[in-house]
Amino acid sequence: MKSNMKIARVLTIAGSDSGGGAGIQADIKAISATGSYAASAITAVTVQNTVGVRDVFPLPINIVTGQIEAVLDDIGADAIKIGMLHSVEVIEAVRTELLKYRVKYLVIDPVMVATSGDRLINEDAVSALKERLLPLATVITPNIPEAEILLGRKLDRQKELASAAEELSAALTSLASAQGFDNKVSVLLKAGHLTEERLVDIFYNAQTGENRHLDSRRINTRNTHGTGCTMSSAFASFLARGFSLNDAADKAKDYINSAIIAAAKDGSVGTGHGPVAHFFMLVNK
């Protein structure tokens, strides 16, 4: 008998990681592992492994937009996740596509620096990302260094994160309003770069005006490559499946925490920062 159940669809727009731990590869794994269908539009090819990024090759703009249009014209998407956009030109091109297709949920991971410390975005693209793309988001998922760049100040302590998430949300929501968009931008600010024993991410829900603390025990492991890509993709997947903002944030946090624990326990891939275990639920059965 034919099922009437609709598969949740997520389009990820990001760079490719040849090592498989981050970028498009991590996105597809996370979206699939959390129950949605993953389609992709690659913005750049990185020559990368667990040790570092050796080179970046941007794809032509028409190829980037062509991928987006091919997917959305046929398959469609319930949510879009955006990762590495390396230049002003690609940011503007993606923005044009987003305004053309108007998918319900947009999750943006403002990727600027790889886990290895290698820069992944041109200097002049930072302001374009903040002013032209982030105001369109349902939620953004910066880590602390990314939030510092967006806010223009340092974040050194856990107790600063809640107000920082709220400040960032207010700034981006104001930019959205100035551009004629009735859009409130929620912020999931990740605390992994701090040193406390408890890792408390902050989710500011701009729809309800509440700050929520997503608490977990810090896992001492070098297998953290692609954590940001993975968490934001899981968030998009849960939104696509119909979960509320709060529930999607909770489930994305639980998923990445379990993936990190499994990677720490089951061994490393590569000699640098190994990837998280995206399919821990299959391996541990």
Side-chain angles (χ1 to χ4, degrees):
M1 187 172 75
K2 185 176 180 180
S3 172
N4 291 322
M5 290 183 65
K6 180 171 169 288
I7 296 174
R9 305 152 300 166
V10 180
L11 168 63
T12 170
I13 306 171
S16 168
D17 172 7
S18 55
I24 285 283
Q25 287 83 347
D27 295 346
I28 291 173
K29 292 173 188 177
I31 293 164
S32 301
T34 53
S36 297
Y37 179 84
S40 65
I42 298 174
T43 59
V45 175
T46 67
V47 181
Q48 184 177 175
N49 55 27
T50 65
V51 178
V53 180
R54 299 181 181 181
D55 206 351
V56 178
F57 177 75
L59 292 185
I61 297 298
N62 67 306
I63 298 299
V64 175
T65 56
Q67 292 174 87
I68 295 169
E69 292 172 1
V71 171
L72 296 181
D73 285 343
D74 175 35
I75 299 167
D78 301 293
I80 291 177
K81 179 267 166 116
I82 294 179
M84 187 184 84
L85 302 179
H86 53 278
S87 69
V88 173
E89 291 76 15
V90 76
I91 288 169
E92 289 293 347
V94 169
R95 183 181 190 272
T96 298
E97 296 300 318
L98 294 175
L99 295 179
K100 176 181 175 182
Y101 285 95
R102 299 283 188 169
V103 170
K104 184 175 182 180
Y105 296 113
L106 176 60
V107 178
I108 303 180
D109 186 24
V111 177
M112 299 178 196
V113 180
T115 304
S116 60
D118 295 290
R119 193 172 184 88
L120 295 172
I121 183 172
N122 297 340
E123 192 71 43
D124 61 349
V126 174
S127 58
L129 180 67
K130 179 179 179 179
E131 295 170 13
R132 301 288 287 166
L133 206 60
L134 298 188
L136 303 180
T138 306
V139 59
I140 66 168
T141 61
N143 58 28
I144 287 176
E146 291 158 351
E148 289 175 337
I149 292 171
L150 294 172
L151 289 168
R153 60 183 174 85
K154 296 290 289 181
L155 297 173
D156 299 314
R157 295 171 293 176
Q158 178 71 53
K159 66 180 183 180
E160 298 176 287
L161 299 193
S163 60
E166 190 169 351
E167 179 184 340
L168 191 49
S169 171
L172 294 175
T173 299
S174 178
L175 280 171
S177 179
Q179 295 173 31
F181 301 112
D182 182 19
N183 185 49
K184 295 181 178 180
V185 183
S186 297
V187 177
L188 175 56
L189 179 49
K190 298 169 292 191
H193 285 77
L194 297 179
T195 58
E196 282 88 348
E197 185 64 27
R198 302 299 300 181
L199 198 160
V200 185
D201 299 331
I202 299 295
F203 178 56
Y204 178 71
N205 186 331
Q207 303 297 326
T208 62
E210 61 180 321
N211 259 318
R212 306 182 70 249
H213 292 65
L214 309 181
D215 188 2
S216 64
R217 180 174 63 85
R218 183 177 295 278
I219 309 301
N220 293 317
T221 176
R222 63 185 177 89
N223 298 330
T224 57
H225 185 48
T227 51
C229 305
T230 298
M231 188 175 191
S232 57
S233 294
F235 202 142
S237 178
F238 289 123
L239 287 175
R241 290 178 54 194
F243 289 94
S244 68
L245 273 170
N246 285 350
D247 288 345
D250 289 344
K251 292 180 78 63
K253 170 72 173 186
D254 290 344
Y255 171 73
I256 188 59
N257 190 51
S258 296
I260 293 172
I261 290 172
K265 180 180 67 175
D266 295 338
S268 299
V269 173
T271 58
H273 292 283
V276 302
H278 294 91
F279 294 103
F280 62 87
M281 69 291 293
L282 300 178
V283 175
N284 295 331
K285 275 192 172 182

